[in-house]
Amino acid sequence: MLNPRSRVELEPVPVAPPQTKVAIEGLKMAFGDYVAVRDVNLRVGDGEFLAIVGPTGCGKSTILNAIAGLLEPSGGSVSIGGDPVAGVQRRIGYLFQQEALMPWKTALENVEIGLTFRKVPVDDRRAQARAWLAKVGLRGMEGRYPHELSGGQRKRVQMAQALITRPEVILMDEPFSALDIHTRHLMQSELLALWQEDRRAVVMITHDLEEAISLADRVCVLSAGPESSVVGDFKVTLDRPRDVAEIKLEPEFTELYRDIWSTLKREVEKSHAYAK
Amino acid sequence: MPTRNDRLAQLLLVVVFFGGWQLATTVGWLDTFFFPKPSDIAIQIADWIVSPDFYKHLFTTLSETVLGYVIGTGLGVGGGIWLGLSPRAAFVLDPFIKTLNAIPRVVLAPLFVLWLGLGIWSKVALAVTLVFFITFFNVVQGVREVNPAVLANARILGASRKELLRHVYIPAAASWILSSLRTSVGFAVVGAVIGEYLGASAGLGYLISQAQGNFNPTGVFAGILILAAFVLLIDVVLDFVEKRLITWRPKVEQARAT
């Protein structure tokens, strides 16, 4: 509510409960006759970290691509901050599973590219990119090309690249699945720290249930494909800030894991049966 | 890296080859009309190198090669990017491009001489037709095989169509162009020399053709050796250019680069 006495009309400040940032209604994604997902309804609050888990090949990524505007839904609608998604969205940050850095640009050039596209003056964007690289622990690596960095370092550059534009929504498609287990844990806690600083809405796809629970506020389970839809929605009540390495030892974590796994297990088994 | 012994072996091969040749012509096993003495060839080369006329010929061939390469590559890059980005146009034009590429380019040389005269431009045109297709096919391939994740990422980061071209498509295609640089420069030389050979008033190809016309095989052999040295020199320059231009590529060449 606006205060009638306020001198300047300020943007209404969101108070709890958080506003819906991403709204997905009756989403259907089909490729020809193949229906990947259908009847997906999801709401992601502002500042909420949502993880979507599901068996392989259940069309998880297509949901992200629909939010990003990379794929057009065959039915239903997606909106970000109340505006329907049409075309590729610039308000989001996307952390791809694959290598998505431009191999012909240095780490610094890769990080600043989003600002380059936004016509930010060169000095300003250089300074911001440097600061972001330092933030993800890559000070001194500015001039390196992607092939001169390790897999984990490349992921950090990707993270800085996606976050430097201050996106309203951050989408992540199994971002750490290609990393070895120790690097993955390290990256997870660094991601959480970054996110904690400046809470944005996050939608993360993963097949790793542990990762989902340790990072997210909410975990949704997608059924086995084709025609998958949301079959479970679990709130993660673990306190923040969290220690990714330690949190798995807490009884609450184990309990949640058991709960969600009972739903997920059914779908994983179904997907195995379907694959045969 | 070749060791000292490898170098010695290479030197020995040269000595044995030319020494044997010299011997065979001296004792009469080889007819010097068909196989002139290496010493005579060397004298011929030396004669040319000291005459200022020779540099006119060298410069002519060099300019034809460079012009043919630059124009052919430019057209190839432009056409390749266009067809790589619009599958529809590529589909429609495909049979025509294949047909054009199927024509042995050498048969076009008389036409070019007819159209463009005996000067350098008929040779440039021949070199262009040879270079164009190599670059063109490489660029089409390069544009089509842009990593979809890199492309999607750039679009989400806010790239406009023009920016996609500048920051994604062209750099991606550039590595393909550079990897075909050697082949296409080689073809530019071939185009220039064949053009000169078939009708010209200057150039290394003209020198060779003139020597042939005068029944002077020594001149033909000297021309061939000079051409070989010419191409090797270009190769050294390219080596340098390639290393300077693709700094972002892993030192161990990627499999696709070859």
Side-chain angles (χ1 to χ4, degrees), chain A residues 68 70 88-90 92-94 96 98-105 113-114 116-119 145 147 161-162 165, chain B residues 146-160 163-164 166-169 171-172 247-251:
Chain A
L70 287 169
V88 176
Q89 297 296 300
R90 287 165 145 237
I92 60 154
Y94 201 132
F96 287 85
Q98 306 94 318
E99 302 279 348
L101 294 176
M102 301 179 193
W104 42 83
K105 289 191 189 295
I113 194 75
T116 311
F117 294 150
R118 280 165 182 75
K119 313 280 180 277
Y145 286 96
H147 79 266
Q161 185 189 49
T165 58
Chain B
V146 166
N147 180 347
V150 173
L151 196 60
N153 195 23
R155 290 172 69 198
I156 284 169
L157 288 167
S160 65
E163 286 164 335
L164 277 184
R166 180 170 153 209
H167 293 280
V168 180
Y169 284 115
T247 47
W248 56 269
R249 211 193 252 167
K251 288 289 171 285

Side-chain angles (χ1 to χ4, degrees), chain B residues 101-185:
Chain B
N101 190 35
I103 298 173
R105 251 42 64 74
V106 179
V107 305
L108 296 176
L111 278 180
F112 289 138
V113 171
L114 212 60
W115 291 337
L116 301 166
L118 288 175
I120 68 164
W121 291 106
S122 54
K123 287 81 192 166
V124 172
L126 190 62
V128 165
T129 58
L130 285 164
V131 170
F132 171 80
F133 285 98
I134 300 167
T135 320
F136 173 80
F137 288 124
N138 269 294
V139 172
V140 169
Q141 192 78 357
V143 167
R144 286 202 187 142
E145 293 196 2
V146 166
N147 180 347
V150 173
L151 196 60
N153 195 23
R155 290 172 69 198
I156 284 169
L157 288 167
S160 65
R161 244 184 104 77
K162 227 167 81 189
E163 286 164 335
L164 277 184
L165 205 61
R166 180 170 153 209
H167 293 280
V168 180
Y169 284 115
I170 291 178
S175 67
W176 286 74
I177 298 168
L178 287 169
S179 67
S180 67
L181 198 83
R182 254 151 229 251
T183 336
S184 42
V185 168

Side-chain angles (χ1 to χ4, degrees), chain A residues 25-238:
Chain A
E25 269 151 35
L27 181 73
K28 177 182 169 190
M29 300 297 287
F31 306 92
D33 290 336
Y34 179 81
V35 180
V37 298
R38 64 179 298 169
D39 294 327
V40 171
N41 294 293
L42 275 175
R43 271 167 193 285
V44 188
D46 200 5
E48 185 181 31
F49 198 134
L50 171 73
I52 301 175
V53 292
T56 0
C58 70
K60 299 179 295 254
S61 302
T62 60
I63 298 179
L64 278 200
N65 288 337
I67 303 175
L70 287 169
L71 286 176
E72 209 178 316
S74 317
S77 68
V78 181
S79 62
I80 298 177
D83 308 319
V85 168
V88 176
Q89 297 296 300
R90 287 165 145 237
R91 311 154 70 185
I92 60 154
Y94 201 132
L95 204 52
F96 287 85
Q97 179 184 14
Q98 306 94 318
E99 302 279 348
L101 294 176
M102 301 179 193
W104 42 83
K105 289 191 189 295
T106 61
L108 187 74
E109 289 166 340
N110 262 296
V111 173
E112 69 171 358
I113 194 75
L115 300 180
T116 311
F117 294 150
R118 280 165 182 75
K119 313 280 180 277
V120 175
V122 70
D123 293 344
D124 187 6
R125 64 177 196 245
R126 281 275 142 85
Q128 284 193 46
R130 259 175 226 288
W132 268 99
L133 274 175
K135 216 179 216 186
V136 294
L138 291 179
R139 198 193 295 279
M141 305 276 190
E142 288 85 358
R144 301 263 188 115
Y145 286 96
H147 79 266
E148 297 169 323
L149 299 168
S150 70
Q153 290 171 331
R154 283 200 291 270
K155 271 287 162 223
R156 286 162 206 254
V157 176
Q158 257 178 284
M159 226 145 76
Q161 185 189 49
L163 296 179
I164 197 170
T165 58
R166 310 220 149 261
E168 291 173 43
V169 181
I170 301 162
L171 307 176
M172 297 185 227
D173 185 4
E174 305 192 16
F176 308 135
S177 62
L179 302 175
D180 69 81
I181 188 83
H182 302 293
T183 317
R184 192 188 306 178
H185 285 162
L186 198 64
M187 296 294 294
Q188 285 169 351
S189 48
E190 285 180 19
L191 174 75
L192 264 195
L194 279 177
W195 177 75
Q196 202 85 44
E197 246 176 57
D198 183 18
R199 291 180 84 148
R200 303 286 162 136
V202 174
V203 183
M204 176 192 236
I205 300 282
T206 176
H207 56 236
D208 179 352
L209 184 53
E210 275 189 14
E211 179 173 76
I213 301 172
S214 18
L215 299 182
D217 295 316
R218 226 171 97 214
V219 177
C220 286
V221 181
L222 226 57
S223 66
E227 302 198 13
S228 45
S229 58
V230 180
V231 288
D233 195 333
F234 300 84
K235 200 135 199 92
V236 179
T237 43
L238 297 161

